[in-house]
Amino acid sequence: MTNKNCIFCKIASGEIKTDFIMETEDYVSFNDVNPQAPWHALIIPREHFSSLNDLNNIELMGKLLEGAQKTAEKLGIKENYRTVINTGREAGQTVFHVHLHVLGGRPLNWPPG
Ligand code: 5GP
Ligand code: ZN
């Protein structure tokens, strides 16, 4: 299922043209438009789920993590990277189509803000 008002559905379907880092039948990854680190990619399922709480497909969850792994490898940051999923506005979620962030290329502080 896709959501016609969702920007990430439009990216995944190709309606908004985007260079993909990775593309499978289940997910795509691409560079974040507003990078917070030298490397900042997003992994999104092709199917629309508003947040991690709505993602009810355990097999797909695993594939998205695999997407994070492989995207980090493709970016050349697989030794050091952070994977983030923001759930809910107060946690920083701004796009309500579930996505994993992959950040790297600089030392990353802990805890995050
Ligand atoms: P969130 O804040 O929901 O965890 O992450 C949403 C991310 O999507 C943000 O880092 C934001 O910069 C990115 N983003 C929002 N709109 C677009 C877009 O149209 N294209 C790309 N490549 N990234 C986007
Ligand atoms: Zn969507």
Side-chain angles (χ1 to χ4, degrees):
M1 289 281 286
T2 59
N3 178 328
K4 63 180 167 48
N5 298 316
C6 171
I7 189 146
F8 283 2
C9 282
K10 290 179 182 171
I11 287 175
S13 70
E15 186 180 338
I16 294 178
K17 205 172 151 22
T18 304
D19 289 329
F20 294 139
I21 301 164
M22 280 194 66
E23 185 176 7
T24 74
E25 63 179 296
D26 300 296
Y27 62 83
V28 299
S29 66
F30 53 90
N31 288 318
D32 195 294
V33 73
N34 181 24
Q36 301 302 312
W39 298 109
H40 184 173
L42 302 170
I43 296 90
I44 68 171
R46 289 189 185 274
E47 191 174 344
H48 181 87
F49 300 91
S50 297
S51 78
L52 182 59
N53 291 341
D54 293 317
L55 179 53
N56 54 9
N57 178 335
I58 290 177
E59 193 183 341
L60 181 56
M61 288 175 173
K63 288 177 176 173
L64 293 172
L65 276 177
E66 176 198 60
Q69 250 180 16
K70 290 188 171 174
T71 297
E73 186 166 4
K74 284 211 166 197
L75 295 175
I77 57 169
K78 73 172 184 178
E79 303 304 330
N80 294 284
Y81 64 97
R82 182 171 296 167
T83 308
V84 173
I85 304 174
N86 296 321
T87 304
R89 283 186 204 285
E90 284 189 19
Q93 186 175 5
T94 58
V95 176
F96 285 79
H97 177 129
V98 68
H99 51 279
L100 284 69
H101 297 256
V102 166
L103 300 123
R106 65 168 170 81
L108 296 165
N109 295 327
W110 192 262

